Amino acid sequence: MITEYQQRLRARYLGAPVMAAPAPWQPVLDARTPIGGLLGIGFAVHPDTGHDLVMAVSHDGHGLFDAVTGEKIARDRDPDPATSTPDAHPDLTCPGLGPVAGTGIRIAGLFGGGLHGTTPDGWTVDVVSPDWPHDRVILSADGGANRGAAGGTWWHVFHSEYSELRAAGFSPTGLTLAVATSSDLTLWTRPQFPVED
């Protein structure tokens, strides 16, 4: 049985339209990047530029994207079968490629694992499913309380109604928000943390 509080919470999420993430978050490439058969994603940092990198693991191999520009910077269409999926390693890693070759990258997605749910400066991301199996990704600036109407301190930024959600969360730096489904990757970025006086 669902309580009255749970009914109100469900209605709040069902009534919230998908909306743009608030400033300082900006979409990367203004569109979803199609990746068929996506199994999971993980983060690394580019050793030269300091940009967040997103590694995508799919049935068609591995790809590495710059999370600031959206550019695909490395691709391995035929990874070693022994390490091509994260379930081959106890800590769900796959070998990095391109500028992070030789580094194990933890992958969150179909085989488990998870991405960061908060940033050092207080942003929170949650996945809610008021109309399961369609997941909604909620970005909030109120510590995940999600009180009041959408667009105040929380935003419904992604609705997975066409593909299965694989992972949603922040990079370890807190500068990238990623949502991965079985068919695509969506990224938001921000330039830096606010400067405190």
Side-chain angles (χ1 to χ4, degrees):
M1 176 160 191
I2 186 169
T3 67
E4 184 179 330
Y5 169 77
Q6 291 169 323
Q7 289 173 351
R8 286 194 313 270
L9 191 59
R10 182 175 183 269
R12 182 184 311 155
Y13 290 133
L14 286 173
V18 175
M19 55 190 66
W25 296 100
Q26 296 295 318
V28 176
L29 296 180
D30 295 324
R32 298 173 180 162
T33 301
I35 303 174
L38 184 63
L39 301 173
I41 61 170
F43 286 104
V45 175
H46 196 294
D48 298 328
T49 66
H51 287 186
D52 281 338
L53 301 175
V54 181
M55 183 167 152
V57 174
S58 76
H59 289 297
D60 293 327
H62 299 170
L64 191 68
F65 298 86
D66 183 309
V68 175
T69 66
E71 175 189 6
K72 186 187 302 180
I73 57 175
R75 178 82 164 100
D76 184 355
R77 293 186 185 278
D78 191 26
D80 181 347
T83 57
S84 64
T85 59
D87 61 324
H89 201 277
D91 63 357
L92 299 175
T93 60
C94 285
L97 60 155
V100 291
T103 303
I105 298 177
R106 289 180 185 225
I107 304 298
L110 183 63
F111 297 106
L115 303 175
H116 289 256
T118 60
T119 66
D121 60 334
W123 290 95
T124 302
V125 67
D126 291 297
V127 175
V128 299
S129 304
D131 60 342
W132 185 87
H134 306 294
D135 298 305
R136 296 162 189 249
V137 178
I138 308 296
L139 175 64
S140 67
D142 65 359
N146 302 339
R147 293 191 177 101
T153 59
W154 64 277
W155 300 263
H156 173 199
V157 296
F158 189 92
H159 193 158
S160 181
E161 54 190 342
Y162 57 88
S163 294
E164 185 178 310
L165 187 72
R166 294 289 190 240
F170 298 107
S171 62
T173 66
L175 299 177
T176 301
L177 171 61
V179 176
T181 72
S182 57
S183 63
D184 53 54
L185 174 65
T186 304
L187 300 171
W188 295 263
T189 189
R190 57 184 176 147
Q192 61 191 16
F193 294 123
V195 177
E196 295 183 18
D197 294 330

